[in-house]
């Protein structure tokens, strides 16, 4: 089982999710730790190779957890946030991209 490494404020951001969304995110990340795919996911190639977004739809709204598990012996959670519109904001994409570069050692 791969450990989870929380990058930046991603753990605190996930803890701020409503209970049901937080529990769903934890379950989906557990599946990834055990080598399974999340139930609802999308590749986020605009952020980096192997970056994946877990999609969570709850009564309280749409939530996302962006992670990468393709390098190293860990799952790196780059960003966790609530979506405010149909399209993921450029601020959320840019933050995840910067965090991805930081774990790869890029500038």
């Amino acid at each position: 089982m791969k450990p989870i490494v929380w990058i930046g404020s991603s753990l605190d951001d996930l803890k701020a999710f409503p209970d049901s969304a937080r529990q769903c995110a934890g379950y989906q990340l557990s599946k990834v730790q055990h080598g399974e795919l999340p139930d609802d996911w999308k590749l986020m190639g605009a952020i980096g190779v192997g970056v994946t977004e877990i999609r969570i739809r709850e009564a309280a709204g749409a939530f996302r957890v962006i992670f990468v598990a393709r390098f190293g012996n860990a799952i790196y959670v780059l960003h966790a946030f609530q979506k405010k519109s149909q399209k993921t904001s450029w601020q959320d994409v840019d933050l995840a991209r910067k965090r991805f570069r930081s774990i790869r050692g890029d500038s």
Side-chain angles (χ1 to χ4, degrees):
M1 178 171 79
K2 288 185 173 185
I4 294 177
V5 177
W6 303 91
I7 307 300
S9 64
S10 60
L11 178 57
D12 290 334
D13 296 337
L14 189 132
K15 286 181 178 180
F17 284 11
D19 287 343
S20 60
R22 189 175 59 247
Q23 289 173 3
C24 182
Y27 174 72
Q28 298 304 320
L29 286 169
S30 176
K31 288 181 73 166
V32 174
Q33 284 183 290
H34 289 90
E36 299 175 42
L37 291 173
D39 293 333
D40 190 359
W41 59 277
K42 173 179 139 180
L43 287 175
M44 299 292 288
I47 296 171
V49 176
V51 176
T52 304
E53 174 185 73
I54 296 173
R55 301 170 176 182
I56 300 164
R57 293 177 180 91
E58 296 287 326
F63 299 86
R64 301 293 186 260
V65 178
I66 298 176
F67 72 92
V68 63
R70 295 210 176 208
F71 61 86
N73 292 321
I75 296 160
Y76 296 89
V77 177
L78 305 173
H79 191 27
F81 60 99
Q82 181 173 7
K83 279 189 76 166
K84 305 286 187 197
S85 65
Q86 187 70 18
K87 184 174 175 156
T88 302
S89 75
W90 69 267
Q91 292 98 333
D92 289 314
V93 171
D94 190 53
L95 178 60
R97 187 180 295 127
K98 286 177 181 172
R99 290 178 177 175
F100 179 73
R101 288 181 185 147
S102 76
I103 63 173
R104 288 194 48 192
D106 299 347
S107 301

